[in-house]
């Protein structure tokens, strides 16, 4: 590929930036999910659609921006996936602008090198996965890219203020932004002689950070209006603090043994290694050397981001922890660009070798990642939820403890309005006080039926949520009493997913009913459903399925043996 010399470097930079943005956006749109995905996709779509409150830490900025996209004349999930694609494509483009400005080059070959490297970053598995679905991490990546853009430019009061404002907005989207604070502290410390000359600019930066952070006021204000999705009900100070701090996740933080940390470090090393083709890694390693030799200040920022990202993520045990490594991927990519720019300053032959190496890595990355990242035929999450609906009779109440079914069901029920007679109860969320307000909104009769047991449970539950001492046996006993009362609710037929574990014997016999277990109570008749049932469709070969997807195929077939006894809940 040849670029003719230009007397207008800004135009060349801009044209290539437009090319990077459009090519990545088209790639992400072509490979996006056709409907909701596993984990939080369905819940986030409904929260944005109804202007509700999402699971901790609330993600108020994502909710508000997602609501704007929901106004587009497309299906809800199409608008939300478009939001994710745009954020990710913009993040890639801003990183391109960062490196083209950072190196202060004016030659077309330098801009070409930046553009090709940015495309390589865009097709890395972790980055690509953000552009095909509706998750908060795509917006998080955009803010990481924006902050790096200002961080890597020469210090100015303007950049300090803009960086502080972006930092506050980023906190308004995702609290893992806290991992960038050491970088910000280093930025302020390294440039202390500059800002000491005008301390008013520092206070302006603090003020802009505080102003941007006020987006969190959305949570208590909206919660006070009791939206249908009101996770944590953060209308009061205590609830707001628990929600924003991710109190419920603390049981999964800093609880690993030394051996587990070492194993997870190996997992992270593998994840990070496969974000780039092997041909790119020599550039990353050489770029670290070049960075500390020629651009030490920028190298310090990137190294801090990389190390704090990995250290924190090592100690957090959640299902989608891979997404927390996005800042580390961005830091490694920028280190590689140091090497690329160093080498393109050399004689023409070496320039051509470097450009060819990066250019060849792009199709290699596409070939390696396409089958894994192309989600255009992935209906797995929806298929699982629809199988539940096809497994039950009219006016069913389904007990479930698997969020991969509940989250897509929220989308089917409250946006597509499928089987509005069916209600799925998350047995784990019954352990949270806010959830009873949700039950009251979606089925007031059921709530009134269980109200005495709920009122007996809440005093103990609220002591637990407030961090005060509580009687563990009593709280478990009153919790189980609510589940048992629900199972006796006469207005609904009762079903259980195999993920549910009950502490008391069910009031009847459990029989296989499609992909669920039917609780047949005394005096009830039961005819097994005929379906139809659909094995989860992922649109990819079995070799390219994730561990989660294979697990869901196994779950689909778990109740297929007609002669086998249905699994019984623990008692």
């Amino acid at each position: 590929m040849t670029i003719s010399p230009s007397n207008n470097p800004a135009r060349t930079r801009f044209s290539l930036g437009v090319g990077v943005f459009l090519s990545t956006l088209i790639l992400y749109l072509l490979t996006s999910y056709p409907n909701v995905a596993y984990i939080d996709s369905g819940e986030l779509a409904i929260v944005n659609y109804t202007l509700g409150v999402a699971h901790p830490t609330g993600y108020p900025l994502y909710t508000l921006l997602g609501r704007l996209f929901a106004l587009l004349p497309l299906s809800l999930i199409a608008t939300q996936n478009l939001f994710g694609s745009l954020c990710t494509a913009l993040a890639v483009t801003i990183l391109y602008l960062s490196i083209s400005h950072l190196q202060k080059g004016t030659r077309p070959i330098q801009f070409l090198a930046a553009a090709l490297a940015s495309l390589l970053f865009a097709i890395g598995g972790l980055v690509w996965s953000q552009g095909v679905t509706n998750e908060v991490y795509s917006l998080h990546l955009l803010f990481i890219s924006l902050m790096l853009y200002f961080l890597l430019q020469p210090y100015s009061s303007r950049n300090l203020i803009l960086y502080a404002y972006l930092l506050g907005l980023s906190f308004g989207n995702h609290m893992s932004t806290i991992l960038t604070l050491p970088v910000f502290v280093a930025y302020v410390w390294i440039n202390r002689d500059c800002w000491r000359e005008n301390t008013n600019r520092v206070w302006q930066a603090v003020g802009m950070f505080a102003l941007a952070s006020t987006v969190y006021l959305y949570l208590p204000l909206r919660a006070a209006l009791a939206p249908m999705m009101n996770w944590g009900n953060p209308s009061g100070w205590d609830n707001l603090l628990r929600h924003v701090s991710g109190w419920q996740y603390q049981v999964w933080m800093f609880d690993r043994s030394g051996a587990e940390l070492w194993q997870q470090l190996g997992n992270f090393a593998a994840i990070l290694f496969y974000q780039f083709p092997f041909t790119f890694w020599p550039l990353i390693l050489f770029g670290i050397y070049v960075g500390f030799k020629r651009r030490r200040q920028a190298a310090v920022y990137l190294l801090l981001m990389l190390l704090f990202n990995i250290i924190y993520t090592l100690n957090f045990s959640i299902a989608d922890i891979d997404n927390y490594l996005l800042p580390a991927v961005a830091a490694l990519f920028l280190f590689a660009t140091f090497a690329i720019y160093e080498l393109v300053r050399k004689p023409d032959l070496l320039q051509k070798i470097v450009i060819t190496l990066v250019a060849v890595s792009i199709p290699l990355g596409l070939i390696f990642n396409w089958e894994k990242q192309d989600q255009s035929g992935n209906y797995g999450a929806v298929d699982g939820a629809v199988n539940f609906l096809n497994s039950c009779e009219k006016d069913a109440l389904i007990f479930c403890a698997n969020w991969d079914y509940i989250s897509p069901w929220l989308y089917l029920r409250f946006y597509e309005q499928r089987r509005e007679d069916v209600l799925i109860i998350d047995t784990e969320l019954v352990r949270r006080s806010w959830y009873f307000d949700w039950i009251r909104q979606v089925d007031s009769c059921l709530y009134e039926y269980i109200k005495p047991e709920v009122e007996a449970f809440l005093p103990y539950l609220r002591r637990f949520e407030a961090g005060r001492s509580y009687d563990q046996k009593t709280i478990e006993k009153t919790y189980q009493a609510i589940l048992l009362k629900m199972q006796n609710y006469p207005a609904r037929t009762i079903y259980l997913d195999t993920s549910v574990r009950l502490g008391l014997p069910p009031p009847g016999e459990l029989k296989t009913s499609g992909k669920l277990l039917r609780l047949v109570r005394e005096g009830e008749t039961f005819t097994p459903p005929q379906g139809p049932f659909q094995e989860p469709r992922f649109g990819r070969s079995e070799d390219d399925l994730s561990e989660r997807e294979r697990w869901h195929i196994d779950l689909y077939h778990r109740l297929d043996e007609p002669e086998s006894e249905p699994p019984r809940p623990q008692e």
Side-chain angles (χ1 to χ4, degrees), residues 26-267:
I26 291 170
L27 173 68
Y28 297 149
L29 292 176
L30 287 175
T31 55
S32 284
Y33 280 87
N35 209 307
V36 294
Y38 286 129
I39 312 181
D40 300 323
S41 174
E43 177 228 348
L44 290 174
I46 288 299
V47 165
N48 293 357
Y49 181 62
T50 62
L51 278 180
V53 175
H55 64 275
T57 56
Y59 321 112
L61 184 62
Y62 181 84
T63 300
L64 293 169
L65 293 176
R67 176 55 184 160
L68 291 178
F69 276 84
L71 298 176
L72 295 173
L74 300 169
S75 71
L76 174 59
I77 193 58
T79 66
Q80 302 306 294
N81 287 346
L82 174 61
F83 181 25
S85 297
L86 278 171
C87 286
T88 311
L90 283 170
V92 173
T93 306
I94 290 166
L95 281 177
Y96 157 77
L97 294 174
S98 296
I99 56 181
S100 61
H101 281 291
L102 177 66
Q103 304 298 341
K104 299 179 181 179
T106 59
R107 293 181 300 157
I109 194 170
Q110 293 176 303
F111 299 142
L112 176 60
L116 291 174
S118 300
L119 290 175
L120 190 58
F121 174 77
I123 62 175
L126 199 54
V127 176
W128 192 342
S129 67
Q130 308 312 312
V132 299
T133 189
N134 61 315
E135 272 285 0
V136 297
Y137 304 108
S138 58
L139 184 58
H140 182 56
L141 179 61
L142 176 56
F143 278 115
I144 292 295
S145 300
L146 283 167
M147 287 188 288
L148 283 170
Y149 177 82
F150 289 104
L151 189 74
L152 297 177
Q153 291 190 44
Y155 174 86
S156 70
S157 298
R158 168 183 168 274
N159 287 347
L160 174 65
I161 292 170
L162 286 173
Y163 185 96
Y165 185 68
L166 289 169
L167 188 66
L169 287 179
S170 185
F171 269 112
N173 173 62
H174 204 286
M175 277 294 176
S176 65
T177 300
I178 197 170
L179 300 179
T180 67
L181 281 182
V183 182
F184 182 65
V185 171
Y187 176 73
V188 173
W189 176 254
I190 289 174
N191 296 288
R192 60 190 181 279
D193 291 337
C194 298
W195 59 259
R196 279 175 178 169
E197 297 176 1
N198 190 348
T199 56
N200 287 336
R201 294 299 188 185
V202 176
W203 289 113
Q204 288 175 6
V206 172
M208 293 300 285
F209 173 83
L211 176 64
S213 300
T214 58
V215 71
Y216 268 101
L217 291 175
Y218 166 83
L219 296 180
L221 292 175
R222 184 58 179 148
L225 298 176
M228 185 269 293
M229 293 298 297
N230 190 17
W231 199 300
N233 186 21
S235 54
W237 172 250
D238 290 341
N239 284 358
L240 177 63
L241 182 60
R242 282 196 295 269
H243 198 72
V244 171
S245 66
W247 163 79
Q248 70 181 59
Y249 302 139
Q250 293 177 11
V251 296
W252 298 316
M253 298 178 68
F254 301 97
D255 63 341
R256 285 194 168 115
S257 65
E260 290 172 332
L261 287 173
W262 184 252
Q263 180 182 8
Q264 186 71 328
L265 183 61
N267 294 338

Side-chain angles (χ1 to χ4, degrees), residues 37 55 322 383 485 528 556:
H55 64 275
D322 295 8
D383 287 339
K485 186 70 173 291
Y556 173 83

